[in-house]
């Protein structure tokens, strides 16, 4: 039997506080989901007083809560800055869906956490069928391929682009593919090389001897060489086996 209870509200959370308290007791509620913060305020989301009264109401309920809110065109929470200030944990969700497809891919990017370290970006896919909805985790590669790059470092974006182009890319092509300026890419490639030399480890990116059509250096991901070496090693083992047979 489902333990999820839904309450439709026609007023703000603060105004309906006593009603919510009774439901929590009678239904033995442990966790609250508020959808959405704008409606729960019951007023102007730009008003500090309105937002603060909503958070005060939530604290009076003495239960853990998940609040769903919306962002403005710039990607920030719509309304008062006290929304972010009062949140203990904050995740930003980005999604993508191709036209006429029944799958949505989205990520959760951790942007704030009180007393915890920054959490890794997580990706998911939602597939809508006739009567069911399937949710499953997606890989970092799937997220970046879908254009959901929030939460990933420049190094991760560069490596992903180079792995998708194993023949190698010049700085300009890398910059265009990850939508960064060329100086940022050059700095990351240089820092990766210097860091590898200081620590005596293999660099993440490697510059190969050949030049591009315009005379620029070509870069590849070290993982490309590793995969090639593994492939060659596997082929050698198979050849030895055939010779023995």
């Amino acid at each position: 039997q489902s333990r999820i209870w839904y309450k439709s509200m026609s007023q703000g959370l603060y105004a309906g506080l006593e009603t919510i308290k009774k439901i929590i007791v009678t239904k033995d509620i442990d966790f609250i989901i508020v959808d959405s913060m704008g409606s729960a305020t019951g007023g102007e989301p730009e008003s500090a007083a309105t937002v603060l009264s909503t958070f005060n109401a939530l604290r009076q309920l003495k239960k853990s809560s998940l609040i769903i809110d919306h962002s403005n065109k710039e990607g920030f929470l719509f309304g008062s800055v006290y929304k972010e200030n009062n949140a203990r944990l904050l995740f930003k969700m980005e999604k993508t869906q191709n036209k006429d497809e029944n799958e949505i891919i989205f990520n959760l990017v951790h942007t704030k956490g009180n007393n915890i370290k920054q959490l890794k970006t997580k990706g998911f896919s939602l597939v809508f069928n006739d009567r069911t909805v399937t949710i499953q985790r997606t890989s970092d590669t799937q997220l970046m391929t879908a254009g959901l790059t929030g939460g990933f470092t420049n190094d991760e974006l560069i490596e992903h682009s180079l792995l998708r182009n194993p023949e190698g890319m010049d700085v300009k092509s890398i910059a265009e593919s990850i939508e960064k300026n060329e100086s940022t890419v050059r700095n990351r490639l240089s820092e990766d090389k210097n860091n590898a030399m200081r620590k005596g480890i293999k660099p993440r990116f490697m510059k190969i001897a050949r030049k591009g059509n315009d005379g620029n250096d070509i870069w590849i991901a070290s993982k490309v060489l590793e995969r090639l070496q593994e492939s060659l090693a596997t082929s050698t083992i198979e050849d030895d086996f055939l010779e023995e047979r």
Side-chain angles (χ1 to χ4, degrees):
Q1 183 179 358
S2 173
R3 291 272 294 138
I4 299 175
W5 298 91
Y6 174 77
K7 170 61 178 173
S8 177
M9 300 288 291
S10 58
Q11 57 187 342
L13 182 62
Y14 189 83
L17 186 59
E18 294 306 316
T19 300
I20 298 299
K21 285 181 177 179
K22 292 179 182 178
I23 293 175
I24 287 176
V25 173
T26 56
K27 302 297 185 183
D28 191 24
I29 302 297
D30 292 317
F31 187 73
I32 301 168
I33 299 176
V34 178
D35 185 8
S36 64
M37 180 65 179
S39 298
T41 60
E44 295 295 328
E46 298 89 350
S47 167
T50 300
V51 171
L52 288 172
S53 67
T54 304
F55 276 101
N56 288 335
L58 278 171
R59 276 190 284 271
Q60 291 184 51
L61 297 177
K62 298 180 180 180
K63 300 293 181 180
S64 297
S65 59
L66 170 66
I67 307 171
I68 301 171
D69 202 6
H70 301 94
S71 60
N72 56 26
K73 293 181 179 179
E74 289 72 36
F76 301 105
L77 286 178
F78 182 80
S80 171
V81 68
Y82 284 103
K83 288 182 176 181
E84 182 171 348
N85 292 348
N86 278 270
R88 303 284 296 177
L89 284 170
L90 199 60
F91 293 88
K92 179 179 180 181
M93 187 183 81
E94 302 170 320
K95 74 178 181 74
T96 182
Q97 181 179 20
N98 294 326
K99 187 176 181 180
D100 296 328
E101 287 193 0
N102 63 339
E103 180 183 27
I104 295 176
I105 298 177
F106 68 95
N107 64 6
L108 291 176
V109 182
H110 185 209
T111 60
K112 177 189 175 183
N114 290 1
N115 304 321
I116 66 168
K117 66 180 181 179
Q118 189 82 6
L119 300 177
K120 189 177 182 298
T121 296
K122 300 184 185 301
F124 303 86
S125 72
L126 280 174
V127 179
F128 299 91
N129 297 310
D130 292 337
R131 295 187 177 182
T132 62
V133 178
T134 303
I135 183 170
Q136 60 185 9
R137 286 290 306 274
T138 62
S139 66
D140 292 350
T141 298
Q142 287 174 296
L143 285 179
M144 287 186 275
T145 300
L148 300 177
T149 58
F152 293 110
T153 65
N154 287 332
D155 285 2
E156 288 172 326
L157 296 176
I158 291 172
E159 183 176 61
H160 172 70
S161 185
L162 290 175
L163 289 174
R164 294 188 69 191
N165 298 273
E167 71 282 0
M169 304 173 69
D170 61 16
V171 170
K172 181 180 180 181
S173 298
I174 297 172
E176 290 175 349
S177 69
I178 66 173
E179 298 182 350
K180 304 289 182 180
N181 58 58
E182 293 183 35
S183 61
T184 297
V185 173
R186 287 196 184 91
N187 289 339
R188 295 314 311 152
L189 295 173
S190 176
E191 178 58 29
D192 175 71
K193 176 183 177 181
N194 294 335
N195 182 60
M197 292 179 64
R198 285 194 303 268
K199 297 182 178 180
I201 59 177
K202 182 182 296 185
R204 197 169 188 171
F205 317 112
M206 299 181 67
K207 181 171 66 176
I208 57 180
R210 71 183 178 88
K211 303 286 186 176
N213 294 331
D214 54 2
N216 294 327
D217 293 321
I218 300 298
W219 292 81
I220 63 172
S222 296
K223 287 183 179 179
V224 172
L225 286 182
E226 293 172 4
R227 292 174 181 177
L228 178 60
Q229 290 169 349
E230 291 173 359
S231 177
L232 291 174
T234 302
S235 297
T236 302
I237 293 173
E238 292 176 348
D239 290 343
D240 291 342
F241 175 76
L242 290 174
E243 289 178 4
E244 291 176 4
R245 295 279 291 182

